[in-house]
């Protein structure tokens, strides 16, 4: 076996998913460090107003991205049997849509700039639009690598591309192309990623042959997925658009910095979870084991821990960390971090629930979830605009995502996938831990400079960490990780005749999943 093919094995169970999850989250951690370093540099070189214009331009490009990608990456990840003709058809369709989107951006950029009364947005849009020439093809190829079990190769190619894009952005800003250097990073990253996969034969996935597939045959399934993704994107981006229209470029820059800071860990965690869990869920559904194997329950458990523990801690540590990253002049951005962290965490939880619902083809639940998110978020935005409060605007996203997740829990309960009491108990345990971590960090860093506040906050979190270590068997995430072999020395106790506590219940479910795989 070639070194590049060492991880070329299809997923068949929870252990394979955990192997993928390890690779994806390891790559995500490295990417997160790179992005934070990039944020530290641009926070000191790009003004809040310029970053506000860039943030709105970026959301416009991402909006068109749902047309250029057309849900093709999701289609590839969730295909029951992925063949070579299907991937070639997805690549052709993505390339054609990308070229069309590139032309649309070049023509419509001045109109978008005038809509927000920001003429400086026009060149940013046009430069960002260049990524449509390469991004769709790169996305399809990376999704194919992940679907065929080659998580290591996919992570390596993506990291190389992202690092190259960041280097290009920093170089251009240093040479005086400010803020155009911000917009150049993404096209450069996509181009390098596609070049590596194309020019390196060992990075190409091995696929079985199959019947010819026309690109038009992918429009219906991929368009269906893209439509739901588009609704999700509108819900998460509408506060940024409202900030730009009603509060000005400077306030938009502060809000965008706070949102981007907490959005980085949310996005990389979701990408890792999605890439690892989606193939497993697709296989379980194909073999009618999605419910009995408890794979969906494990996905929700991992997302719950990341949301309530990870982002709970970020609510307390985030203001000091962002102040340290950006330097002086970003007081408003640091004040918004707790609310944007809550919104990013709930978005991660809600999006992770979408993985389960879309994989089991519960379109009605997905639509109801997204409509609930949109309506609740829009109502919150209306209140924030009426009160002229940027704080209420930041909180609107968190409330909307929480309402949408409530709809998901109801759908899982009715389908027999996850009982409401089990889900709420899982969330409650993780939320108590997150509140303890975040509260301790906030108390430790209160009234101190950013560096000192971050240090004192971390120290104050230690007693909570020690307590969690002592009570780890009561934590649902630990029980699942131990029982599925993610930990070297699992000690989860077997299920007894008495009613199971939350953590042990998840451990029992995980053992059933491993045996069934």
């Amino acid at each position: 076996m070639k070194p590049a093919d060492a991880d070329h094995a299809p997923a068949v169970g929870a252990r394979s998913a955990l192997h993928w999850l390890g690779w994806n989250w390891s790559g995500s951690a490295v990417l997160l460090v790179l992005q934070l370093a990039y944020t530290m540099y641009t926070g000191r070189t790009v003004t809040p107003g310029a970053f506000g214009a860039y943030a709105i331009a970026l959301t416009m490009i991402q909006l068109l991205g749902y047309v250029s990608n057309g849900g093709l990456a999701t289609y590839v990840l969730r295909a029951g049997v992925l063949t070579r003709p299907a991937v070639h058809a997805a690549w052709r369709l993505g390339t054609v849509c990308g070229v069309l989107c590139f032309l649309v951006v070049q023509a419509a950029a001045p109109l978008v700039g005038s809509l927000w009364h920001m003429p400086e947005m026009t060149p940013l849009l046009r430069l960002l639009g260049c990524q449509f020439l390469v991004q769709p093809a790169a996305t399809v190829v990376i999704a194919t690598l992940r679907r065929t079990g080659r998580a290591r190769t996919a992570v390596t190619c993506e990291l190389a591309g992202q690092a190259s894009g960041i280097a290009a952005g920093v170089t251009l800003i240093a040479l005086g192309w400010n803020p155009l250097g911000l917009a150049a990073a993404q096209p450069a990253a996509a181009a390098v990623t596609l070049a590596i996969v194309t020019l390196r034969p060992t990075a190409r996935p091995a696929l079985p042959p199959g019947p010819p597939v026309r690109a038009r045959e992918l429009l219906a399934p991929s368009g269906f997925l893209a439509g739901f993704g588009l609704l999700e994107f509108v819900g998460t981006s509408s506060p940024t658009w409202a900030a730009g229209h009603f509060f000005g470029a400077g306030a938009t820059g502060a809000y965008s910095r706070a949102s981007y800071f907490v959005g980085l860990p949310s996005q990389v965690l979701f990408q890792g979870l999605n890439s690892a869990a989606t193939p497993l869920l697709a296989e379980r559904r194909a073999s009618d084991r999605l419910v009995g194997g408890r794979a969906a329950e494990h996905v929700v458990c991992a997302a719950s821990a990341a949301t309530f523990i990870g982002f709970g801690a970020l609510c307390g540590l985030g203001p000091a960390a962002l102040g340290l990253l950006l330097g002086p002049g970003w007081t408003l951005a640091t004040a918004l971090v707790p609310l944007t962290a809550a919104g990013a965490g709930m978005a991660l939880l809600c999006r992770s629930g979408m993985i389960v619902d879309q994989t089991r083809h519960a379109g009605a639940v997905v639509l109801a979830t997204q409509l609930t998110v949109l309506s609740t978020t829009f109502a919150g935005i209306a209140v924030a605009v009426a009160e002229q409060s940027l704080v209420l605007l930041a909180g609107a996203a968190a409330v909307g995502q929480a309402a949408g997740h409530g709809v998901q829990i109801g759908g899982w309960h009715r389908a027999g996938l996850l009982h409401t009491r089990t889900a709420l108990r899982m969330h409650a345990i993780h939320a108590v831990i997150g509140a303890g971590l975040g509260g301790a960090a906030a108390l430790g860093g209160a009234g101190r400079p950013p560096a000192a506040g971050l240090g004192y906050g971390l120290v104050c979190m230690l007693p909570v960490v020690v307590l969690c270590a002592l009570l780890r068997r009561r934590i649902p995430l630990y029980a699942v990780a131990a029982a599925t072999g993610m930990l070297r020395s699992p000690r989860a106790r077997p299920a007894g005749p008495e009613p199971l506590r939350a953590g042990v219940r998840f451990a029992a479910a995980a053992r059933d999943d491993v045996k069934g795989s």
Side-chain angles (χ1 to χ4, degrees), residues 38 41-42 45-46 166-182:
Y38 187 48
Y41 176 76
T42 57
T45 54
V46 180
I166 289 174
V170 169
T171 301
L172 290 175
I173 292 175
L175 292 176
W177 293 69
N178 188 351
L180 288 177
L182 284 171

Side-chain angles (χ1 to χ4, degrees), residues 251-322:
T252 305
Y255 174 79
S256 300
R257 278 294 189 187
S259 299
Y260 182 70
F261 172 69
V262 298
L264 280 174
S266 178
Q267 182 64 21
V268 295
L269 285 171
F270 174 75
Q271 287 176 346
L273 186 63
N274 181 43
S275 301
T278 297
L280 173 64
L281 292 173
E283 291 178 3
R284 291 301 166 89
R285 185 184 184 278
S287 59
D288 295 324
R289 294 166 56 203
L290 179 58
V291 176
R294 303 291 181 88
E297 196 168 313
H298 297 167
V299 174
V300 178
C301 181
S304 172
T307 294
F308 293 105
I309 299 178
F311 286 91
L314 190 59
C315 286
L317 282 178
L322 184 60

Side-chain angles (χ1 to χ4, degrees), residues 294 297 421-422 425-426 429 470-477 479-480 491-509 511:
R294 303 291 181 88
E297 196 168 313
R421 181 179 298 178
T422 302
R425 184 182 294 113
M426 176 201 331
I429 294 173
L470 295 175
L471 302 176
R472 60 188 179 276
R473 295 191 184 94
R474 298 178 180 269
I475 301 175
L477 179 67
V480 169
R491 296 180 181 179
R493 285 177 279 183
E498 298 83 14
L500 297 177
R501 289 191 300 266
V504 183
R505 178 183 290 108
F506 285 108
R511 283 193 296 273

Side-chain angles (χ1 to χ4, degrees), residues 3 10 18 37-38 43 104 108 134-135 175 181 185 190 219 224 243 291 312 339 365 435 490:
L18 289 172
Y38 187 48
V104 168
V134 288
Q135 182 68 56
L175 292 176
L219 286 175
F224 174 81
V291 176
L339 285 172
V365 178

Side-chain angles (χ1 to χ4, degrees), residues 395-414:
V399 175
Q401 297 292 339
H405 185 60
V407 174
Q408 291 176 332
I409 292 177
W412 297 334
H413 182 84
R414 289 189 296 271

Side-chain angles (χ1 to χ4, degrees), residues 352-516:
S352 301
M354 294 284 186
I355 299 175
V356 177
D357 288 331
Q358 289 181 354
T359 304
R360 67 187 183 98
H361 294 177
V365 178
V366 173
L367 181 60
T369 299
Q370 292 182 324
L371 291 178
T372 301
V373 171
L374 283 174
S375 59
T376 308
T377 302
F378 288 162
I381 290 174
V383 173
V385 171
E387 296 293 331
Q388 284 295 294
S389 172
L390 199 60
V391 173
L392 291 178
L393 185 68
V399 175
Q401 297 292 339
H405 185 60
V407 174
Q408 291 176 332
I409 292 177
W412 297 334
H413 182 84
R414 289 189 296 271
L417 199 64
L418 180 63
H419 291 291
T420 300
R421 181 179 298 178
T422 302
L424 293 180
R425 184 182 294 113
M426 176 201 331
H427 292 343
I429 294 173
H430 292 151
V432 168
I433 298 172
L437 292 170
L443 289 175
R448 303 180 189 275
L454 184 61
Y456 277 97
L458 289 171
V459 171
C460 290
M461 288 169 61
L462 288 178
V464 182
V465 174
V466 173
L467 183 61
C468 290
L470 295 175
L471 302 176
R472 60 188 179 276
R473 295 191 184 94
R474 298 178 180 269
I475 301 175
L477 179 67
Y478 178 88
V480 169
T484 53
M486 196 172 185
L487 303 178
R488 292 184 178 180
S489 302
R491 296 180 181 179
R493 285 177 279 183
E498 298 83 14
L500 297 177
R501 289 191 300 266
V504 183
R505 178 183 290 108
F506 285 108
R511 283 193 296 273
D512 293 341
D513 188 31
V514 173
K515 292 177 181 178

Side-chain angles (χ1 to χ4, degrees), residues 24-421:
N24 285 312
W25 277 0
S26 297
S28 297
V30 176
L31 177 59
L32 182 60
V33 172
L34 291 175
Q35 292 284 2
L36 289 177
Y38 187 48
T39 299
M40 180 180 291
Y41 176 76
T42 57
R44 289 163 170 77
T45 54
V46 180
T47 64
F51 191 83
Y54 166 76
I56 297 176
L58 185 59
T59 59
M60 292 294 102
I61 294 299
Q62 291 170 338
L63 186 65
L64 272 180
Y66 284 95
V67 178
S68 66
N69 295 328
L72 293 173
T74 307
Y75 168 80
V76 170
L77 283 171
R78 295 174 183 172
V81 178
L82 189 63
T83 62
R84 190 180 303 112
V87 172
H88 288 170
W91 187 89
R92 291 193 303 270
L93 179 60
T95 300
V96 172
C97 291
V99 171
L100 293 177
C101 289
F102 168 78
L103 296 176
V104 168
V105 170
Q106 303 309 310
L111 178 62
V112 176
S114 63
L115 181 64
W116 267 275
H117 307 290
M118 298 179 187
E120 65 274 20
M121 192 189 300
T122 299
L124 294 172
L125 278 167
R126 285 177 168 164
L127 186 53
L128 280 167
C130 294
Q131 67 182 289
F132 288 128
L133 298 176
V134 288
Q135 182 68 56
T139 300
V140 169
V141 174
I142 292 297
T144 303
L145 288 171
R146 295 186 186 280
R147 182 64 182 87
T148 54
R150 301 182 64 181
R152 182 177 64 185
T153 304
V155 168
T156 302
C157 293
E158 280 191 313
L159 279 178
Q162 292 296 326
S164 301
I166 289 174
V170 169
T171 301
L172 290 175
I173 292 175
L175 292 176
W177 293 69
N178 188 351
L180 288 177
L182 284 171
Q186 291 203 12
V192 171
T193 300
L194 182 61
I196 292 174
V197 178
T198 303
L199 301 178
R200 182 184 173 191
T202 55
R204 299 171 188 171
L207 294 170
V213 178
R214 295 183 178 181
R216 68 180 65 178
E217 298 177 13
L218 302 181
L219 286 175
S222 63
F224 174 81
L225 295 170
F228 281 123
L230 184 60
L231 287 177
E232 179 186 65
F233 177 76
V234 170
T236 56
S237 299
S238 52
T240 301
W241 298 336
H245 192 76
F246 294 104
F247 295 92
T252 305
Y255 174 79
S256 300
R257 278 294 189 187
S259 299
Y260 182 70
F261 172 69
V262 298
L264 280 174
S266 178
Q267 182 64 21
V268 295
L269 285 171
F270 174 75
Q271 287 176 346
L273 186 63
N274 181 43
S275 301
T278 297
L280 173 64
L281 292 173
E283 291 178 3
R284 291 301 166 89
R285 185 184 184 278
S287 59
D288 295 324
R289 294 166 56 203
L290 179 58
V291 176
R294 303 291 181 88
E297 196 168 313
H298 297 167
V299 174
V300 178
C301 181
S304 172
T307 294
F308 293 105
I309 299 178
F311 286 91
L314 190 59
C315 286
L317 282 178
L322 184 60
L324 185 62
L325 281 174
L326 299 181
W330 294 93
T331 305
L332 179 58
T334 59
L336 294 174
V337 168
L339 285 172
T340 56
M346 292 308 303
L348 172 62
L349 185 59
C350 197
R351 293 178 70 192
S352 301
M354 294 284 186
I355 299 175
V356 177
D357 288 331
Q358 289 181 354
T359 304
R360 67 187 183 98
H361 294 177
V365 178
V366 173
L367 181 60
T369 299
Q370 292 182 324
L371 291 178
T372 301
V373 171
L374 283 174
S375 59
T376 308
T377 302
F378 288 162
I381 290 174
V383 173
V385 171
E387 296 293 331
Q388 284 295 294
S389 172
L390 199 60
V391 173
L392 291 178
L393 185 68
V399 175
Q401 297 292 339
H405 185 60
V407 174
Q408 291 176 332
I409 292 177
W412 297 334
H413 182 84
R414 289 189 296 271
L417 199 64
L418 180 63
H419 291 291
T420 300
R421 181 179 298 178

